[in-house]
């Protein structure tokens, strides 16, 4: 079989087509980690706020450990579903590695918060806001980028809010920077997959 040499125009069209294909081939379950971690963090924050306010049970703080126990396996499950569908590109690998770094730092900060004086309610939204912002930049998805920026900026409000109300502000930050862009991205992925 004889190979045909592409003209300059055909080469450019082929390259443009490959770039467009890569952008359109985003993973179907790409939004699920945002939704899983965002909803679970919000739920746990509200439960802890309620229990501390009504029953003054400080042991309820151990409920935070449900986050990695529940969310991490669910995140792995959905990322494997995307991998099985063959949808994994360079952008996906960068984003996954970025979240591994932020996740490990967040986990270590959480451990230190139980052992000593770490303002975890300020640091975690700040850290996760940076992760969401960078993910939005890497994926070129503006709602995620701006939600992350809002999360970073609003996390500083936690330095001025005191008492149990900090938990409600904390929950609100996760709705803003994870749940809302997660739903927007999920809708986009559903539409993209239905067109394919």
């Amino acid at each position: 079989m004889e190979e045909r040499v592409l003209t300059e125009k055909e080469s450019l069209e082929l390259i443009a087509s490959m770039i467009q294909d890569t952008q359109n081939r985003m993973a179907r379950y790409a939004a699920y980690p945002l939704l899983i971690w965002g909803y679970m963090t919000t739920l746990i924050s509200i439960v802890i706020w309620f229990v501390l306010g009504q029953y003054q049970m400080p042991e309820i703080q151990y409920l935070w450990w449900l986050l990695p126990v529940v969310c991490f396996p669910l995140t792995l499950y959905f990322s494997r579903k995307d991998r099985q569908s063959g949808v994994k590109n360079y952008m996906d690998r960068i984003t996954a590695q970025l979240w591994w770094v932020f996740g490990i730092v967040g986990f270590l900060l959480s451990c230190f918060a139980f052992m000593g004086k770490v303002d975890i309610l300020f640091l975690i939204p700040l850290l996760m806001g940076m992760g969401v912002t960078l993910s939005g930049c890497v994926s070129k998805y503006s709602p995620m980028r701006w939600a992350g920026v809002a999360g970073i900026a609003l996390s500083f409000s936690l330095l001025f809010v005191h008492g149990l109300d900090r938990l409600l502000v904390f929950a609100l930050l996760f709705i803003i920077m994870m749940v809302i862009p997660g739903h927007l991205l999920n809708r986009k992925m559903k539409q993209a997959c239905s067109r394919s």
Side-chain angles (χ1 to χ4, degrees):
M1 181 172 195
E2 188 177 319
E3 289 187 31
R4 185 173 74 85
V5 177
L6 297 176
T7 67
E8 185 177 320
K9 182 181 178 196
E10 290 172 329
S11 294
L12 290 173
E13 287 173 354
L14 179 62
I15 291 168
S17 167
M18 291 170 67
I19 290 170
Q20 186 64 41
D21 182 51
T22 300
Q23 289 175 340
N24 290 339
R25 213 184 61 213
M26 291 180 74
R28 165 62 188 98
Y29 301 102
Y32 280 37
L34 288 173
L35 294 171
I36 292 166
W37 289 89
Y39 273 119
M40 192 67 172
T41 303
T42 302
L43 177 67
I44 290 173
S45 300
I46 293 170
V47 168
I48 291 173
W49 170 81
F50 178 79
V51 171
L52 284 175
Q54 295 297 312
Y55 306 107
Q56 290 78 39
M57 272 179 47
E59 301 82 27
I60 194 68
Q61 296 283 358
Y62 288 105
L63 196 59
W64 289 116
W65 293 111
L66 268 181
L67 274 170
V69 170
V70 172
C71 297
F72 186 69
L74 284 172
T75 301
L76 282 179
Y77 172 76
F78 286 109
S79 70
R80 285 202 172 114
K81 281 186 80 141
D82 271 339
R83 204 173 307 132
Q84 288 169 354
S85 67
V87 180
K88 193 78 169 165
N89 57 32
Y90 183 67
M91 183 175 67
D92 297 326
R93 285 191 296 276
I94 289 173
T95 304
Q97 291 170 356
L98 180 143
W99 278 108
W100 270 105
V101 171
F102 280 102
I104 290 168
V105 172
F107 181 76
L108 291 173
L109 283 171
S110 300
C111 292
F112 284 114
F114 273 95
M115 294 188 294
K117 192 77 173 146
V118 174
D119 191 354
I120 198 74
L121 292 180
F122 163 66
L123 291 174
I124 290 297
L126 179 65
L127 188 67
M128 296 303 113
M130 288 189 278
V132 172
T133 302
L134 290 171
S135 293
C137 290
V138 168
S139 64
K140 296 181 181 171
Y141 188 60
S142 292
M144 190 183 298
R145 180 178 28 215
W146 291 113
V149 168
I152 292 168
L154 293 171
S155 68
F156 286 94
S157 68
L158 286 163
L159 296 174
F160 304 101
V161 178
H162 303 287
L164 287 179
D165 290 342
R166 292 185 92 210
L167 287 164
L168 293 179
V169 174
F170 185 84
L172 179 63
L173 288 174
F174 275 83
I175 290 170
I176 291 168
M177 70 182 168
M178 289 188 146
V179 173
I180 293 171
H183 278 292
L184 293 172
L185 182 60
N186 192 41
R187 185 172 58 202
K188 180 182 177 187
M189 294 299 95
K190 278 183 180 176
Q191 290 169 350
C193 288
S194 66
R195 278 185 260 136
S196 312

